[in-house]
Each structure stands twice: as structure tokens, then as C-alpha cells.
Amino acid sequence: VYAIAVRSGITDEVFTAALLSYEPLPHRLQPIGEFDGIRFYDDSISTIGETAIQALETLKDTDTVLIGGMERGVDYAALIAYLSKSPVSHILLMEATGERIYREAMAAGVDRPERFRRVGDLKNAVKVAKAVTAKGKICLLSPAAASYGIFRNFEERGEVFGEYVKTL
């Protein structure tokens, strides 16, 4: 993007100002805020393993990730392999997909299996995340699964996540 801006005659000052004022789209690595010393991010748009991996690659300070949703037969082998080697301390698994990922992770013999924890639903996941996430670190909702049957859509899931973060 920078190279295109330079070729288009945009100065470094204008480019930097635009970059500093950039706001992510809702539910796409969207910062929710800091509560009790924990920074919360909403990546509810993440509906496949690859997008959750990219979110974790982007937010290197993630201590807790919330994963799971509606089961639809997606292959999670790459996500499980990534999580096995990742430095994320708490992998909170929700709903049907979370159950499946937990079973497959345990069967695969992941590194540090105690990091993988089944938490039921989003509300409980936020409660657990607030209790276990280290101060100064990130709690990331990046479910790698669809929301249907649980929420109307990923937007509602992200909004409910934000409400739980602020009120629980």
C-alpha cells in the first residue's frame, strides 16, 4: 500500500496520518477496549481456521483465544497444529465446533494439552477469559466457525461478545 501511495504522489506525512487514523471494520480484529487490565479484540468474522491463525499472527500478545461455534464439517487440522505450537496460554473452546476441536486436538497429542479447555458457550468463555488472561495481554474472539443456530450472524455474535466483556 505504501509503494502505491508513494507512486501516487502521497507524502509520508499524509500516509502516516491516514495510517494512524485507520479504524478496522467492525468484527474484524476490532479492539473492544481494556477491562481489568486485559485488552479485548473482536474477530467474530473469523469463520474458518485460517482466519483465526492470521488473527493470532497479527495480535502477538494474545494470551487467550475463544474458538468455536456451529459445526459444519470444516477441516481444523491446520488450526490445531498451529495452536499446538503457538504461545497462546489459554485456548477456550465453545459450542459444537469447540468440542470437536478439543477431541481432535487431544487425539493428535498436541503440545501442552492443558491449554485447551472446553467452556460451553460464549458467556462462560468470557467469564473464564477474564479469570485466566494475564493483565496487559489480549483476549481474542476469533471463533474459526459459523455463528448460525447460536446467533443470527457473526455481527450479532461480535456485539454479544462486546456486551459480555463490558458487563460480566
Side-chain angles (χ1 to χ4, degrees):
V1 171
Y2 178 73
I4 292 169
V6 169
R7 279 189 249 143
S8 300
I10 295 171
T11 66
D12 284 352
E13 292 78 21
V14 170
F15 182 84
T16 301
L19 188 60
L20 291 173
S21 66
Y22 174 78
E23 294 276 336
L25 294 172
H27 315 295
R28 291 160 181 86
L29 293 179
Q30 178 184 16
I32 300 298
E34 184 172 319
F35 301 89
D36 299 324
I38 301 166
R39 292 175 287 147
F40 289 86
Y41 282 80
D42 169 9
D43 189 39
S44 184
I45 186 95
S46 168
T47 59
I48 59 174
E50 290 78 4
T51 55
I53 291 168
Q54 289 307 309
L56 290 165
E57 283 292 307
T58 300
L59 298 175
K60 297 289 189 181
D61 261 358
T62 300
D63 189 48
T64 302
V65 63
L66 283 58
I67 294 176
M70 182 189 91
E71 176 56 48
R72 57 191 171 135
V74 172
D75 181 3
Y76 287 109
L79 177 61
I80 292 167
Y82 177 86
L83 291 172
S84 179
K85 304 296 184 196
S86 82
V88 175
S89 298
H90 309 283
I91 301 162
L92 305 183
L93 301 167
M94 308 174 291
E95 304 291 349
T97 301
E99 287 290 330
R100 184 176 136 221
I101 290 171
Y102 180 84
R103 286 191 312 273
E104 290 180 12
M106 296 305 108
V110 294
D111 293 350
R112 299 172 291 143
E114 68 281 356
R115 297 176 305 133
F116 292 74
R117 182 171 174 182
R118 294 172 288 186
V119 293
D121 61 12
L122 181 59
K123 187 174 189 176
N124 194 51
V126 171
K127 287 179 182 177
V128 172
K130 284 188 167 192
V132 301
T133 306
K135 305 295 185 221
K137 297 290 187 174
I138 293 172
C139 172
L140 168 66
L141 168 67
S142 193
S147 59
Y148 301 116
I150 306 160
F151 299 98
R152 280 190 320 270
N153 49 38
F154 75 86
E155 292 95 343
E156 181 186 42
R157 175 174 56 195
E159 290 163 11
V160 169
F161 173 68
E163 289 173 22
Y164 288 159
V165 165
K166 293 170 186 172
T167 61
L168 291 178

